[in-house]
Amino acid sequence: MTDRPLTLMAVHAHPDDEATGTGGVLARYAAEGIRTVLVTCTDGGCGDGPGGVKPGDPGHDPAAVALMRRQELEASCEVLKISDLEMLDYADSGMMGWPSNDAPGSFWQTPVSEGAERLAELMRHYRPDVVVTYDENGFYGHPDHIQAHRITMAALEMTTLTPKVYWTTMPRSGMRRFREIMREFGEDMPEPDPAETAALAEIGLPDDEITTWVDTTAFSGQKFDALAAHASQGENIFFLKMGKERFGELMGMETFVRVQDTTGTAVPENDLFAGLR
């Protein structure tokens, strides 16, 4: 036995990603006395600026946006009771195909080995029992999410650690319900073109391929407030329009695919720390 606390490390791409996909587990496990470590890889500088100004538009200042998003991230961490925040501070690469993908110093342009070594140092320091990040496609194809996946898996190979490793996902049944609620709260939204519809249909996994279903309904209020802390980002407004009750109904279950395990715990499981306590 050891006095070292059980530790969860979540590796995310941007400020606000921690709240959307893992806000529930971060809040739940913090409440259970588990140390929660958030690694945020980029500065979020390609996010919306004040007043919703978009990257590349007049008045968009990436450095000012990054500073604002750092402050929002710290507020989110306080809401979720995250124990430790680590910022790698790579430049936000923007969406796939943006010119910022090619900018020197962007996360997408950073050699995987470089990012992985920095992350491996953090893993050696915190010695996480559970590591959470994205799948190979970064869940929906964002270059920084893909890069976060790559450096996480490479960093694990650089260490002698054997944590349980999970990739975030969403059940296809949940995606259908999500789209229905989006239409309910966004009646003026244009219908997606067939290519976009096909791409959306590939997000997430069939329900029977999901290994881990963690009920975080009791912490959905904290998750909602953590998203609200990232008020500058327009994409979060949809979630906030729901109100806390509907938000909890839709976002109270967080789902994962277990890709590394030494505990032998049977799946499906309902706890990232199953077999570790």
Side-chain angles (χ1 to χ4, degrees):
M1 297 295 290
T2 175
D3 292 333
R4 185 181 64 82
L6 283 172
T7 300
L8 166 65
M9 175 179 282
V11 183
H12 280 292
H14 311 99
D16 80 0
D17 289 332
E18 81 290 340
T20 310
T22 57
V25 291
L26 287 166
R28 170 179 163 169
Y29 290 123
E32 293 178 5
I34 288 170
R35 180 169 61 178
T36 51
V37 180
L38 170 63
V39 180
T40 301
C41 296
T42 79
D43 61 9
C46 285
D48 293 351
V53 61
K54 302 296 183 183
D57 288 349
H60 187 278
D61 179 350
V65 171
L67 176 60
M68 174 180 63
R69 297 194 72 183
R70 171 64 184 250
Q71 294 167 344
E72 291 177 336
L73 178 60
E74 290 173 350
S76 172
C77 289
E78 187 171 342
V79 169
L80 297 173
K81 309 301 182 188
I82 289 171
S83 309
D84 299 272
L85 170 63
E86 297 285 355
M87 297 282 292
L88 298 187
D89 266 336
Y90 289 108
D92 189 341
S93 309
M95 299 296 285
M96 190 67 81
W98 286 13
S100 49
N101 294 174
D102 300 321
S106 71
F107 192 34
W108 189 235
Q109 289 298 315
T110 298
V112 169
S113 59
E114 176 192 319
E117 182 52 51
R118 292 183 62 196
L119 183 57
E121 287 182 17
L122 294 175
M123 289 180 174
R124 295 182 191 109
H125 174 71
Y126 288 106
R127 303 188 65 81
D129 301 280
V130 172
V131 173
V132 175
T133 193
Y134 315 102
D135 63 18
E136 304 101 316
N137 191 45
F139 185 61
Y140 70 100
H142 193 296
D144 287 332
H145 290 230
I146 294 170
Q147 190 76 330
H149 162 86
R150 290 173 176 170
I151 73 162
T152 301
M153 303 312 291
L156 287 163
E157 291 185 2
M158 291 177 175
T159 74
T160 58
L161 304 172
T162 56
K164 295 178 80 177
V165 180
Y166 294 89
W167 297 343
T168 58
T169 191
M170 185 175 286
R172 294 270 168 82
S173 62
M175 288 298 297
R176 288 191 294 272
R177 187 169 175 223
F178 181 69
R179 287 194 289 271
E180 290 168 2
I181 293 177
M182 282 186 74
R183 285 193 290 271
E184 176 186 339
F185 283 90
E187 295 176 0
D188 58 344
M189 290 176 60
E191 284 295 317
D193 62 39
E196 185 178 347
T197 301
L200 286 171
E202 293 302 312
I203 292 177
L205 290 172
D207 292 28
D208 61 1
E209 293 182 20
I210 291 173
T211 65
T212 311
W213 303 70
V214 184
D215 185 355
T216 64
T217 306
F219 302 92
S220 60
Q222 280 175 260
K223 183 173 178 174
F224 183 95
D225 290 341
L227 268 175
H230 296 281
S232 71
Q233 302 310 298
E235 64 265 25
N236 297 324
I237 301 304
F238 162 70
F239 293 106
L240 304 180
K241 283 170 63 177
M242 294 183 194
K244 284 189 176 181
E245 184 174 350
R246 291 299 300 278
F247 179 85
E249 292 172 6
L250 180 66
M251 306 290 283
M253 182 71 72
E254 294 185 348
T255 49
F256 307 86
V257 174
R258 192 177 79 189
V259 295
Q260 180 174 301
D261 173 63
T262 58
T263 69
T265 304
V267 294
E269 59 186 0
N270 60 11
D271 178 10
L272 297 179
F273 287 84
L276 293 172
R277 53 180 178 172

